[in-house]
Amino acid sequence: MDNWNVLTAHQSAIGGRDDVNLVSKEKLTIEKLPDKVILQIFSYLSHREICRLARVCRRWRQIAYDTRLWKNVSLRPEVSGLHVGSLESLLSLIAVRFGPTLRYIELPIELITHTVLHELSAKCPNLTHMLLDFSTAMQLHDFSEMQAFPTKLRYMCICLSEVIFMEGFMRKIYNFINGLEVLHLIGTYEKCEEEEEEIYEVINVHKLKSATPNLRVINLYGINFIDDSHIDAFSSNCIQLECLAVNFCNKVTGSTLKTLIQRSKRLTCLLMNGTSLKSEFVMQADWDKCALQELDITATDLSTECLIDMLTRIPNLRFLSAGQINGFNDTVLKMWMESGMPRSLVSIDLDSSDNITDDGLQKFLTRHGQQLGACCLSGMPHITDQLWMSILPVLTNAKILVMGTPEKLGVNIHVDQLMDTIASACTNLERLELRWDPDNLRFSDKSQKAIDLLRVKCLKLRCMVLSDGRYYETVKANFERADRVTVVRTTTCCRVSPYHLLSNYNDLIFN
């Protein structure tokens, strides 16, 4: 009887502790968290989600309006999901929610008025980054009364319209933007048809360059009227120029490259993907005297002779994208190696270079692979897992790898063995893309072990892109079970690029 009473008393004591724990757990709600903790939680959410949370209660609404959550704001609905219904709403937002903490803002055409720009100038003194999207404009607002504009801008991106002339607006802001260091002019390359009736010069680049003498980074992307005279204009006035990008400006032929190299002594990055470079103009430039370190000549029509001449003269080239060029072949690689100029190379992209053999690539990568941080050999059907298996042990410092082609192959890719080798050799890997068609990938029931090894060994891996299929689903599920849900992506919505290794990469991001 005494023992029974002791047991009952013991159970009561245990039950009492459980009741105390239950009560304490009931008290641990999010409402008990201090404001600064909730503010920190909110900082990980998008502005659209923050707006939803502001409806929960008065306290959350007050925290959601904290200006520290609104340092970087996009008001373009297609980008951020935020839509401001009226100019009056935006003006009140600028005064109440943005204020002195605002650093970056994106405005769509309907919100770009002189009243809004006046308010930003007056209420947001620390605004340094601005994107103005005129791309969908049918007509501009009247800027004749505009007397003020943000004066501390260091970064400005203007998305141009195909037919709307910008000079009336630009004339009003020239006196306010002489502190700009980074300029993006984004054209309508992706919207253009093959045959254009007429090309309009919708912005006066020659006047713009006079107003922006302190530019370090200039990105002219996909603008159908940009030609060599505009490059010459910027080089004549911007003595601080470090990076010039004219990707997909198909009127650029390189006729002013010689002058650009002579004037721009600080130019280290030149990106000319998809331009109409002519070999004779490129060969006239003084490449042996330039400070160039990063070069993109992808999808140009340069000859083998020109490529040899250029690559064997650039002394400190560290980044090269030269894919989709018929003239790039084994001879170019051989002459470049023999010149000793690849000694500084850390990134090479030879996408769809069908005239390079696997033997030529193996010789080059065996010699220089250890120094590479990025190696992209995609789009070549003859480069299979066999070559990758032989060179991966050399690519010990690789951070970015792109391999495979979406074309259906006559051979199969044994992906388990490939994953094992990548995991063992490339422990610093951050980005990986396999573009092979899912039907060409062969993997066994033990593939989970290979994926586990990759996930455990490559702890820095933040992006792995695969073609949509059964292997993609297997890899995605594996990473999600390990709470790494954002790593695995499909080629339909993501592409890996060596551009992440560019020294001005953060400044070149424009959208």
Side-chain angles (χ1 to χ4, degrees):
M1 195 65 177
D2 293 338
N3 290 337
W4 178 259
N5 289 333
V6 170
L7 181 59
T8 304
H10 180 65
Q11 287 176 332
S12 299
I14 294 174
R17 285 197 297 271
D18 287 343
D19 291 341
V20 171
N21 289 335
L22 185 60
V23 171
S24 62
K25 284 180 180 178
E26 287 176 351
K27 291 180 179 179
L28 291 177
T29 66
I30 195 168
E31 286 301 313
K32 300 298 181 183
L33 294 176
D35 287 357
K36 64 179 181 180
V37 175
I38 297 179
L39 182 69
Q40 184 66 23
I41 294 171
F42 280 19
S43 70
Y44 290 95
L45 304 175
S46 69
H47 286 138
R48 188 176 183 180
E49 292 168 324
I50 291 173
C51 289
R52 287 200 189 111
L53 292 177
R55 303 174 185 173
V56 172
C57 63
R58 185 178 298 173
R59 183 187 177 209
W60 281 26
R61 182 179 179 85
Q62 185 177 0
I63 296 171
Y65 278 13
D66 193 302
T67 57
R68 286 171 289 183
L69 293 174
W70 299 86
K71 293 180 181 178
N72 304 300
V73 179
S74 172
L75 298 178
R76 295 191 292 167
E78 70 276 11
V79 175
S80 64
L82 288 183
H83 176 71
V84 178
S86 65
L87 290 175
E88 291 73 20
S89 299
L90 176 57
L91 294 175
S92 65
L93 284 175
I94 293 172
V96 176
R97 198 175 304 186
F98 300 164
T101 59
L102 186 67
R103 298 288 190 276
Y104 175 92
I105 191 167
E106 296 181 1
L107 295 174
I109 175 62
E110 61 271 17
L111 298 180
I112 305 173
T113 69
H114 73 274
T115 311
V116 170
L117 295 173
H118 283 179
E119 196 72 4
L120 286 172
S121 175
K123 302 290 175 59
C124 306
N126 296 310
L127 182 63
T128 57
H129 292 61
M130 176 181 282
L131 184 148
L132 303 174
D133 188 355
F134 294 97
S135 61
T136 59
M138 299 307 293
Q139 66 179 44
L140 294 186
H141 294 282
D142 181 13
F143 294 100
S144 58
E145 297 182 14
M146 189 165 78
Q147 303 298 329
F149 192 79
T151 57
K152 291 188 178 181
L153 290 183
R154 293 291 176 266
Y155 169 110
M156 186 165 71
C157 178
I158 300 177
C159 300
L160 302 175
S161 166
E162 289 182 286
V163 294
I164 300 299
F165 293 90
M166 302 287 301
E167 190 53 34
F169 169 74
M170 297 302 295
R171 196 184 305 117
K172 289 290 185 178
I173 71 170
Y174 284 143
N175 293 332
F176 301 98
I177 60 174
N178 57 10
L180 277 185
E181 296 179 7
V182 180
L183 173 67
H184 295 266
L185 298 180
I186 309 305
T188 54
Y189 167 77
E190 294 179 355
K191 299 179 183 178
C192 287
E193 298 177 359
E194 291 186 5
E195 294 184 7
E196 290 291 331
E197 294 182 0
E198 191 172 355
I199 295 175
Y200 300 100
E201 191 165 340
V202 297
I203 193 167
N204 192 324
V205 172
H206 294 278
K207 288 185 179 179
L208 177 60
K209 62 96 179 180
S210 301
T212 53
N214 297 307
L215 288 177
R216 293 185 300 102
V217 177
I218 300 172
N219 179 26
L220 311 175
Y221 181 90
I223 307 176
N224 52 15
F225 64 81
I226 289 291
D227 58 27
D228 298 277
S229 68
H230 300 107
I231 295 177
D232 185 63
F234 276 120
S235 67
S236 68
N237 196 53
C238 305
I239 60 173
Q240 310 291 337
L241 190 60
E242 298 173 4
C243 175
L244 174 64
V246 288
N247 292 336
F248 306 108
C249 296
N250 56 22
K251 283 196 171 185
V252 172
T253 64
S255 61
T256 58
L257 270 178
K258 183 174 183 178
T259 308
L260 173 69
I261 297 298
Q262 288 173 346
R263 289 173 177 167
S264 305
K265 301 299 182 183
R266 298 187 182 186
L267 186 68
T268 58
C269 179
L270 184 58
L271 309 178
M272 300 181 290
N273 186 345
T275 55
S276 302
L277 293 179
K278 295 187 180 299
S279 296
E280 58 268 29
F281 294 146
V282 174
M283 293 172 71
Q284 290 172 6
D286 299 325
W287 298 109
D288 47 344
K289 299 177 182 177
C290 71
L292 205 64
Q293 297 180 14
E294 300 162 345
L295 178 65
D296 188 350
I297 49 174
T298 301
T300 55
D301 198 23
L302 298 178
S303 65
T304 299
E305 181 188 8
C306 174
L307 292 167
I308 293 172
D309 177 79
M310 178 170 53
L311 293 178
T312 56
R313 286 200 289 150
I314 302 177
N316 296 305
L317 193 64
R318 58 181 295 275
F319 179 102
L320 176 66
S321 283
Q324 305 173 45
I325 303 178
N326 290 331
F328 207 115
N329 53 32
D330 287 359
T331 305
V332 176
L333 280 179
K334 181 182 177 184
M335 298 298 290
W336 191 24
M337 267 197 300
E338 291 177 354
S339 71
M341 292 304 181
R343 59 182 175 268
S344 303
L345 193 70
V346 298
S347 174
I348 188 165
D349 182 357
L350 299 175
D351 174 66
S352 302
S353 296
D354 294 331
N355 292 330
I356 303 177
T357 66
D358 50 357
D359 184 55
L361 280 171
Q362 185 159 16
K363 288 178 181 177
F364 182 84
L365 294 172
T366 300
R367 181 168 175 179
H368 296 287
Q370 193 168 12
Q371 68 199 54
L372 294 181
C375 182
C376 304
L377 305 179
S378 54
M380 293 181 273
H382 60 289
I383 305 301
T384 64
D385 54 332
Q386 297 302 313
L387 176 65
W388 280 104
M389 293 290 290
S390 64
I391 63 173
L392 279 170
V394 185
L395 301 174
T396 53
N397 292 308
K399 295 180 179 179
I400 300 172
L401 293 176
V402 182
M403 55 185 77
T405 175
E407 299 176 37
K408 291 212 172 180
L409 305 178
V411 297
N412 293 321
I413 306 300
H414 299 281
V415 71
D416 288 352
Q417 194 176 359
L418 191 61
M419 291 296 106
D420 278 337
T421 309
I422 292 173
S424 301
C426 309
T427 54
N428 293 318
L429 195 63
E430 296 178 6
R431 292 176 171 85
L432 171 66
E433 181 171 357
L434 275 62
R435 294 183 184 171
W436 283 297
D437 187 280
D439 292 340
N440 287 121
L441 296 181
R442 290 294 175 268
F443 53 98
S444 67
D445 296 336
K446 298 180 180 179
S447 63
Q448 289 288 353
K449 185 176 180 182
I451 300 168
D452 284 338
L453 188 64
L454 179 74
R455 178 172 47 76
V456 171
K457 289 246 182 142
C458 300
L459 295 175
K460 297 179 182 178
L461 188 65
R462 65 180 70 176
C463 178
M464 183 176 178
V465 182
L466 299 164
S467 296
D468 204 351
R470 201 155 60 91
Y471 188 69
Y472 161 76
E473 297 295 341
T474 302
V475 177
K476 184 176 177 65
N478 185 292
F479 274 79
E480 287 179 346
R481 282 196 297 271
D483 290 330
R484 296 176 67 181
V485 295
T486 62
V487 174
V488 184
R489 309 166 192 181
T490 69
T491 52
T492 55
C493 59
C494 184
R495 279 295 173 95
V496 170
S497 166
Y499 267 32
H500 294 282
L501 294 186
L502 289 174
S503 54
N504 293 104
Y505 173 72
N506 290 331
D507 291 326
L508 286 167
I509 299 173
F510 64 83
N511 212 350

